[in-house]
Amino acid sequence: MHALALADRTPNTTRRHATLRPAEVAHAATVSARYARQADERGRLNAETLAALDVAGFARHFSPGRPDGAHGTFTELFDAAVAVAEGCPSAAWCGTLWAVHARYAARLPEEGRAEIWARSSGTRIAAAILPPAGRAERAAGGWRLTGRWSMASGAEWSDWLLLAAPAGEPRGDVRAFAVPRTAVTVHDTWDGTGLRATGSHAVSVREVLVPDHRTAPFAALLDGSPEPGPRCHTVPAHLPGPLLFAAPALGAARHALAAFTERMPAASPVGGATAAADALARSATEIDSVALLWRRAIGRADAGPTDAAAVARNRRDAAYGVETLVTAVDRLLRAGGGAARGGTDPLQRCWRDVHTVAAHGALRTVTAAQAYAAVTVG
């Protein structure tokens, strides 16, 4: 869907109140769950799911152009992502990224922000920013952008894309460029093990002129802003970011636990019911523990220090928490017997989704450990 359709996409009744209200999030979770198997098989979200995410308000949660003048919290987004992911992690992934990318686009110059949110506060923004790719050369009034980026989740259904590229000289200078979806080619490349419906395809542009008001230094998107403003737009990206990337894994793990529990009488690995009960109890404890850990960590993104130590602690909690979820869901899959290995089985789908989330670069334990040690030791 392109920008011209924005005015019709977000009903007026959803523009007058805060985003991510429990009833509308619950509706999005129900709708996305209804179509989760179909989405996984087809490799794309359907129109009903996309509409439900819009009504819930994911894309406008951090929008600087919200008519109510309010600003969402990271805790609200985290809770909504987990809830939707219990039905469809791919839907939660796309919805969460549309919210996060609005934070990034809010760092553009005022004229650029006005253009992006001219038709709706619910503009969907995809991004391909890590690693930067392509090239940008100075041109009259802006930059001429060319290149191909390997992965941009939800790009097919977005209205704008943020693309990061080396800009001019020296080549170490990297900028982010806001490009309308109509100027972007989406290549059908995504065939992931999990999160199959996220449409995380490669994208490319060729000789697109991006005016100065639609570009900003890449570092400005990631660093905390020294300027006064709403907290959701000024904290360092890595303070809430890894936890928001990880949130769909928690929802998927909860779904896996529920699917395993429902089939407990039929779960008969070696050792019989005793082994199944042990798997259930151990995995349930681990999943609950991660939920408590992450709920506390995402709260730090909404209030408290934003220094390097706080960022490192949250990165640690996100990375090691998702590793714990992988262990919990692995155990459930093994104890679930042969029936859980089928490609359409809910437990198997959850297993694939949790592993795919855990593979994201923002959740690497080695990187998180190094950052944590750097601010903790000596």
Side-chain angles (χ1 to χ4, degrees):
M1 185 176 296
H2 303 321
L4 292 178
L6 280 170
D8 296 329
R9 191 183 69 205
T10 308
N12 288 335
T13 55
T14 69
R15 298 186 185 190
R16 293 197 294 264
H17 56 65
T19 65
L20 301 179
R21 297 199 308 185
E24 289 162 355
V25 170
H27 175 71
T30 298
V31 172
S32 62
R34 184 183 308 145
Y35 296 104
R37 176 174 173 175
Q38 179 188 89
D40 184 77
E41 292 172 347
R42 295 183 178 180
R44 58 183 295 110
L45 300 176
N46 63 10
E48 291 84 356
T49 296
L50 292 169
L53 293 174
D54 283 340
V55 171
F58 280 88
R60 69 181 187 276
H61 186 60
F62 292 132
S63 167
R66 279 176 54 175
D68 57 12
H71 299 94
T73 68
F74 297 111
T75 299
E76 290 170 329
L77 178 58
F78 176 85
D79 289 345
V82 173
V84 173
E86 289 191 48
C88 178
S90 288
W93 183 265
C94 288
T96 302
L97 290 186
W98 284 324
V100 168
H101 297 154
R103 287 189 66 236
Y104 294 161
R107 304 304 302 277
L108 294 171
E110 182 177 356
E111 185 179 354
R113 297 196 303 269
E115 186 175 354
I116 288 174
W117 282 287
R119 294 181 177 272
S120 171
S121 61
T123 298
R124 299 177 190 155
I125 304 170
I129 55 177
L130 287 173
R135 69 178 189 278
E137 304 294 342
R138 258 300 184 185
W143 299 81
R144 196 164 297 280
L145 180 66
T146 295
R148 179 174 171 129
W149 291 258
S150 61
M151 195 175 299
S153 298
E156 180 180 356
W157 314 297
S158 295
D159 308 295
W160 290 81
L161 279 85
L162 288 175
L163 304 173
E169 299 294 342
R171 302 301 286 181
D173 182 25
V174 177
R175 298 187 69 84
F177 300 88
V179 181
R181 167 67 180 87
T182 51
V184 177
T185 299
V186 177
H187 305 273
D188 188 4
T189 57
W190 177 244
D191 188 25
T193 301
L195 299 180
R196 293 185 56 79
T198 57
S200 300
H201 301 302
V203 297
S204 64
V205 298
R206 183 176 178 82
E207 299 293 322
V208 172
L209 180 63
V210 183
D212 284 323
H213 66 259
R214 283 201 266 115
T215 180
F218 179 57
L221 274 64
L222 302 183
D223 296 343
S225 172
E227 302 173 3
R231 184 178 175 96
C232 67
H233 289 159
T234 58
V235 301
H238 290 306
L239 184 62
L243 292 157
L244 295 174
F245 281 123
L250 178 56
R254 285 177 170 173
H255 188 179
L257 184 67
F260 181 85
T261 304
E262 289 175 1
R263 68 183 63 173
M264 268 287 287
S268 301
V270 176
T274 300
D278 182 70
L280 176 68
R282 287 180 182 274
S283 293
T285 301
E286 289 165 348
I287 293 168
D288 283 352
S289 298
V290 170
L292 291 170
L293 178 71
W294 284 357
R295 198 58 165 54
R296 183 180 66 180
I298 199 66
R300 291 196 291 265
D302 285 319
T306 62
D307 58 9
V311 170
R313 187 177 180 186
N314 273 17
R315 293 180 69 182
R316 177 204 69 185
D317 288 354
Y320 286 94
V322 82
E323 184 177 79
T324 300
L325 294 180
V326 167
T327 298
V329 176
D330 280 353
R331 183 186 300 110
L332 294 174
L333 187 73
R334 290 195 304 271
R341 309 302 167 88
T344 61
D345 181 82
L347 180 51
Q348 197 252 37
R349 291 204 313 268
C350 293
W351 178 84
R352 289 191 280 109
D353 288 336
V354 170
H355 273 264
T356 301
V357 172
H360 194 277
L363 298 171
R364 292 173 181 162
T365 53
V366 171
T367 304
Q370 291 173 333
Y372 183 68
V375 299
T376 304
V377 180

